[in-house]
Amino acid sequence: MNRPAVNRRSFLWGMAGLASTSGLRLDAFAASPSPDPGFRLVDVTAQSGIRFRHNSGAYGGKLLPETLGAGCAFLDYDRDGWQDILLVNGLDWPGHKREQKSEPSTLKLYRNNRNGTFSDVTHSAGLDVEMYGMGVAIGDYDNDGYPDILITCVGQNRLFKNTGKGTFVDVTKSSGLGGRQALSASALWFDFDRDGLLDLFVCNYVKWSPEHDVFCSFDGKHKSYCTPEAYRGETCWLFRNRGNGTFEDVTATSGIFDSSSKSLGVAMLDYDRDGWPDLLVTNDTQPNKLYRNQRNGTFKDVAVDAGIAFSAEGRARAGMGVDVADFDNSGGSGVAITNFDNEMTGLYRLSDGGNYADVAMQSGVGLASKDKLGFGCVFLDTDLDGTLDLAVVNGHIDDTVRNVSGVGYAQPPQLFLNSGKGTFLDVAEKIGGGFSQPKVGRGLAYGDFDRDGDLDLLITTNNGPAYLYRTDQTAGNRSIRIRLVGTMSNRDAIGAVLKIFHGTSNGTASQSRLVKGGSSYLSQSELPVTFGLGKRDKIDRLVIQWPSGRTEEYKGLAAGRAYECVESKGITAQPGF
């Protein structure tokens, strides 16, 4: 049914300007003079050899998927110990090919040359395949030691198996993932039944096809991008790994099936700390879902009871990106969820009673994000001080929005520095590299591509270029990096929890990290784990809880080193940073 897009979102566009006059104030930390961030970002996109521009296929028809993509990933596809880069691309719509097409619209795989530059190996790797790609999930689903690639798409998702010889083979059909059409978004690999094999979860947005595109308009005359209210929801999918290269669709029997969902983001977490992976799914204009693992092959949605389904006012927000991490070093799974403009980024702390409280306003994240439309988000320790910061990329969904309310289409990314005292401050304008320049941001991932011990950032923009930012430390803080290899657990050790202990002036402090796929928005960060140590030269203890249930402990590991730990076989130091 055709209808104009005069609804909640268009109303919010007109209301966005109220943020500056709402009378809300940041907390004392955010209002105080900005401290030196302790690091700088350097835009190394051009000098690194990353030459990519996303193709949304937009030709003026305002088709819904055009404004959503696309994602990115850090991965070590050739297992040389250096992070490579994968960028997802869209496609020209049938009947609307670009007149001047210099090269096909395909994925781009960039191999790390180990000297700060990358080489485009898309063709030689067998990935120069045209598809309308949206998101990416990286995981070694066959436990052969080489990461495989799942690309979510408009239409048929694609699974590419890594041969271990520098090439990939499309195994979509033979794996049992073929024959399903959807507008898929984020995805992740995780071992929900703890059998040592990675299973696959895929978010689907709404029921949409070019043939059933709805006419939406601000003025009743000119077509605009529809909001999700114009379309029916779509269930997410869950596929169980059979261990023979094929997958079984267990969506219905697992309790995941929900045709009212309009899902864009997904993150893995251990919400109840029982050692079994749970899922947090962000929905656009529908309640978020927190799927608690029942440990018998099924899940139960506990989002309402946990306090994360709705906003504090009891409304379903427009959830886009999501990340989960122990950002207050409490041992719990804190959550960040990006939302539409005037809705603020949600920042949730988990209480001992298992309930989430949105602390965005008192933390300083809320008001600073109120006039932004957020997509990708990641927790990472940018300054290596031992507390996790929050990076967010922003950008609107329609380039005509500035004509409606003056809200920017391109919007500046944000980097919220963690004070360690429950508050955050956006330091994007102080870290250089042009990072704070407005962008139509979508995907965001982190990875240490230059192996100097800190985390670099990769950003994608809608219908625009990708950006690679190198992080340079200026305060002299140090880190320790750990890569896990599962033997009884899945080889990527996705689902493992690492906890370090080190002395402070007040006694012993701890940090915890979860090895996870997915998170952010349509994107995936590297799998090795980085702990910031400040000026410390070692840690006292490292405790690893493997997905298999095994616990291992190591003592006296030195800062400034990378370690590889193989389940049940010990830990070895790798070359220094």
Side-chain angles (χ1 to χ4, degrees), residues 67-68 264 320-322 337-339 373-377 392-397 440-444 520-522:
T67 192
L68 297 174
L264 288 173
M320 312 289 187
V322 59
I337 298 176
T338 57
N339 296 296
L373 199 167
F375 279 92
C377 63
V392 179
V393 293
N394 305 298
H396 225 287
I397 61 171
V440 187
R442 294 297 185 263
L444 174 64
S520 190
Y521 173 77
L522 305 179

Side-chain angles (χ1 to χ4, degrees), residues 7-90:
N7 51 27
R8 185 185 63 86
R9 277 191 174 175
S10 55
F11 174 74
L12 288 177
W13 292 352
M15 293 293 288
L18 294 180
S20 62
T21 59
S22 63
L24 296 172
R25 297 181 65 251
L26 294 175
D27 55 77
F29 172 73
S32 64
S34 175
D36 181 353
F39 67 98
R40 296 290 183 268
L41 294 185
V42 181
D43 184 349
V44 295
T45 311
Q47 69 190 64
S48 69
I50 303 296
R51 297 175 179 86
F52 173 84
R53 188 173 186 89
H54 174 244
N55 175 28
S56 70
Y59 62 91
K62 300 284 186 177
L63 302 182
L64 182 66
E66 294 171 357
T67 192
L68 297 174
C72 57
F74 280 106
L75 73 161
D76 183 7
Y77 86 97
D78 52 2
R79 251 181 66 182
D80 67 348
W82 293 76
Q83 292 295 315
D84 310 301
I85 286 174
L86 189 139
L87 299 165
V88 181
N89 212 347

Side-chain angles (χ1 to χ4, degrees), residues 327-384:
F327 66 81
D328 57 0
N329 289 336
S330 66
S333 299
V335 174
I337 298 176
T338 57
N339 296 296
F340 211 76
D341 62 26
N342 211 48
E343 291 185 336
M344 300 189 300
T345 291
L347 184 67
Y348 297 86
R349 283 199 178 97
L350 182 64
S351 71
D352 292 338
N355 295 315
Y356 279 103
D358 189 348
V359 296
M361 284 305 300
Q362 56 264 48
S363 72
V365 170
L367 190 57
S369 62
K370 194 172 179 64
D371 62 346
K372 306 292 192 299
L373 199 167
F375 279 92
C377 63
V378 291
F379 286 109
L380 74 165
D381 190 353
T382 46
D383 55 357
L384 303 181

Side-chain angles (χ1 to χ4, degrees), residues 17 27 40 44 107 159 180 230 256 261 282 296 319 344 375 398 440 458 468 517 525-526 539 557:
D27 55 77
R40 296 290 183 268
V44 295
L107 304 172
L159 177 61
R180 295 170 175 84
I256 292 294
S261 289
T282 57
N296 59 2
M344 300 189 300
F375 279 92
D398 196 324
V440 187
L458 179 64
L468 178 62
S525 298
E526 65 174 7
I539 62 172
L557 302 181

